[in-house]
Each structure stands twice: as structure tokens, then as C-alpha cells.
Amino acid sequence: MNPGPTTLLPAAGEATTDAAARCLREGGLVAFPTETVYGLGADAGNATAIARLYQAKGRPSFNPLIAHVGDLAAARRIADFNTEAILLAEAFWPGPLTLVLPKASGCAVADLATAGLDTIAVRVPAHPIAREILRVFGGPVVAPSANVSGHVSPTTAEHVRSDLAGRIDLIVDGGAVEVGVESTIVGCFEVPMLLRPGGVPRLDIERVLGRALLQPPPDTAVDSGQPLAPGMLASHYAPRTRVRLDADRLESGEVLLAFGPDRMPGTHASATMNLSERGDLAEAAANLFGYLRALDARGARAIAVMPVPDHGLGEAINDRLRRAAVRQD
């Protein structure tokens, strides 16, 4: 398909679901809500559609994509599960956990989607709209965040439209998403490895496994190398405005991304948005990308970010903020 104007449909029953599944079957690109962020979907077995997806996002071709499926049985048709992977799938699926596993023999996902790796990233989303689209479509759908690569991830249909109108075929508007940060990614290798923090906290995963997760080698998250998993580029999630982390004061021309009930003494930001005035990390995660987008649109000299605790979902929030602070040349 070659998109003209992008169609936006409300998530209102079978007609929209059928239209989305039909668009995917015809090689189209469909943005739809998951519980984490809005995803940009393409038929995971259609290399031409996946190439269009890379083009629409401007996504680096060496960054692998997550295959979304309807249930564990569907996941086992494209990936080989060891005992620990099954434990994690049964504990957290459907939900914001992605597992990186060896490809199954006869895996139907196109090589372009796995960026030449012998592994595949797979998850079962929890959002009812995503699940219904997957059910009607009947196969795996690759679905990175529905935004131009490197921009802030989208948590509403309007975020998708502002980035991708005219580049994709269809947007399914299901309202604002709940989690607000992407899925946690765990590599199910000889020893399970945390490849990206996200919507499922590390401690919850370690509790199920009964052991600690390894950290990835430091050279897997740089732009010059091939990442082990989606979202591991150092400059990912960067708004256009410079981001200054761990701010304890506001400089001239800056806007403020705050967290918690405390206010900076003597600050008079032209714009302030508080991720969570009551210091709730789940609320902060849900607000993160939308607030970054809103502050980015103010044309300020910089976005000053107050410290966020680095436990639970705070680990994922700080990971995204650090990536947002990496400036591209």
C-alpha cells in the first residue's frame, strides 16, 4: 500500500478492528494503542511492509523490532522458549514484558524485522484493542513505537498523527495509554539479562526467576554497534530541545519537568509540568512522554528535569530521560 492521507478511526467495535486487520494484510501500516505506548504495526512476515515501517519512522535498520502476538501458543510458533522464559511468560503475559529468544525453526517473521539476529523479541500486549487486532489479523505484528525514530514516544493518537500523518495508512484512536513507558526487555540467554527497563519492574521479574538479572555489556547500547534488543540506542527518545537532568535550579530560558510535591526555591519557569505531584512513579511513567512532548513544543532553551527516584518504574523513567538527554550531532 502507498498511503495518501492517513485515516484516523475511533476504536469503536468490529468495523475498526476489521479495517485495521485488512490494512495489515494488504501491507499497510497501522498505529494502535498498547498498554505501554502507541505501536506502529506491520505484518511481521511481510518484508516490504517492514521496509515501509523503517522508512516511515526513519528507524535505523540495525535496530530489531518486537513481534506482537496474541498468546503464548502463538509466541512459541516463532520463538524457542526455555524453562525460565515460560515462567516469565506465564507470570507477566499479557503485559509490558518483551522476551528475546532464539528464533524457532520455520519462524514466519521476516529477517528484516530481526535485523539479521538469530534471536527474536516477542511479547503479548495486554491492551484490549491491540489484542483484538492481533486476533482478527491472525499472525505476528511488529510494532515499534508510532513516532519518528528518536522523537518522544507517543501516548495518544494525536502524538502519532503529529509525527506520522501522511506516512502511514491508519491510526486507531483508543485514547491515552495506561503504562506510558515501553515494555521491559529480558534476554532469555544462559543467564537471563535485563536489556531494557520498562513497564515491569526488575524486582518483580527477579522474584519470579528466583535470581538476579544480568546487566548487558556496556558496548551494546551505543549508536555505532548493533543493539541486542529494541530501544538500546544511546540517543533514542530524544526531543528536539536540550534536556538537562537532575536539576536543582532553573536557568534562564528553561522550562521545568518536575516530580513530587517539592518545588524548586525561587524558580519561575515559563512552563512547568509535574510528572506526579504526589510522587507516584506509575503516574509519572504514564505522563512522561506526553509531558516531554508538550515542553518540547514550547521552544525553550532547555528542559530542566528534577531528579526522579531510581527504583521500581523510576528505573525505566530515568533510562528514558538519560536517552532523551543524549544530543545527536
Side-chain angles (χ1 to χ4, degrees):
M1 296 181 67
N2 294 306
T6 298
T7 301
L8 190 147
L9 295 176
E14 292 183 7
T16 295
T17 303
D18 290 346
R22 182 170 60 252
C23 185
L24 290 168
R25 291 190 197 102
E26 293 173 353
L29 303 181
V30 178
F32 56 87
T34 76
E35 72 277 20
T36 56
V37 298
Y38 271 70
L40 179 58
D43 178 356
N46 184 333
T48 301
I50 294 166
R52 285 192 55 225
L53 185 152
Y54 281 126
Q55 183 178 36
K57 281 181 62 68
R59 187 181 180 93
S61 61
F62 50 80
N63 201 1
L65 304 171
I66 297 172
H68 293 67
V69 295
D71 53 33
L72 177 55
R76 297 188 76 168
R77 288 193 285 272
I78 61 174
D80 288 333
F81 281 70
N82 59 22
T83 301
E84 289 180 313
I86 292 173
L87 277 176
L88 293 177
E90 290 177 342
F92 298 110
W93 281 356
L97 176 69
T98 293
L99 301 178
V100 176
L101 302 157
K103 289 181 182 177
S105 177
C107 174
V109 174
D111 288 342
L112 185 59
T114 60
L117 301 175
D118 293 328
T119 55
I120 185 167
V122 61
R123 89 174 181 101
V124 177
H127 199 291
I129 295 169
R131 292 177 61 78
E132 188 63 10
I133 290 172
L134 288 167
R135 184 189 69 78
V136 175
F137 176 66
V141 172
V142 292
S145 57
N147 57 288
V148 171
S149 187
H151 287 191
V152 178
S153 295
T155 55
T156 69
E158 175 56 29
H159 293 163
V160 180
R161 189 204 61 76
S162 67
D163 258 18
L164 297 177
R167 299 187 184 203
I168 66 176
D169 303 284
L170 175 63
I171 301 170
V172 177
D173 186 354
V177 300
E178 295 178 5
V179 177
V181 293
E182 287 89 344
S183 60
T184 303
I185 301 180
V186 172
C188 294
F189 310 131
E190 185 175 343
V191 178
M193 179 183 293
L194 180 65
L195 298 178
R196 180 180 76 181
V200 178
R202 174 208 301 267
L203 288 178
D204 292 356
I205 297 168
E206 292 177 338
R207 193 174 297 116
V208 169
L209 293 175
R211 62 166 159 174
L213 293 165
L214 288 183
Q215 288 294 116
D219 59 353
T220 59
V222 295
D223 285 344
S224 59
Q226 184 177 45
L228 291 173
M232 293 186 70
L233 294 180
S235 61
H236 216 46
Y237 314 110
R240 297 175 183 86
T241 308
R242 184 174 68 88
V243 173
R244 185 170 66 85
L245 301 180
D246 297 323
D248 58 2
R249 56 185 172 76
L250 203 66
E251 297 179 355
S252 175
E254 292 185 331
V255 291
L256 178 64
L257 185 64
F259 176 83
D262 296 333
R263 299 186 181 276
M264 284 187 186
T267 57
H268 301 283
S270 60
T272 297
M273 302 192 80
N274 196 319
L275 292 170
S276 174
E277 289 191 359
R278 64 178 187 267
D280 185 295
L281 289 171
E283 181 183 23
N287 289 331
L288 177 63
F289 288 126
Y291 285 8
L292 273 176
R293 278 180 173 268
L295 291 173
D296 192 25
R298 296 299 295 255
R301 187 173 67 82
I303 301 171
V305 182
M306 289 175 62
V308 175
D310 202 33
H311 59 78
L313 284 175
E315 185 177 18
I317 293 167
N318 283 310
D319 174 77
R320 302 306 185 274
L321 289 171
R322 283 190 293 271
R323 295 175 190 273
V326 174
R327 300 300 305 275
Q328 295 179 330
D329 293 335

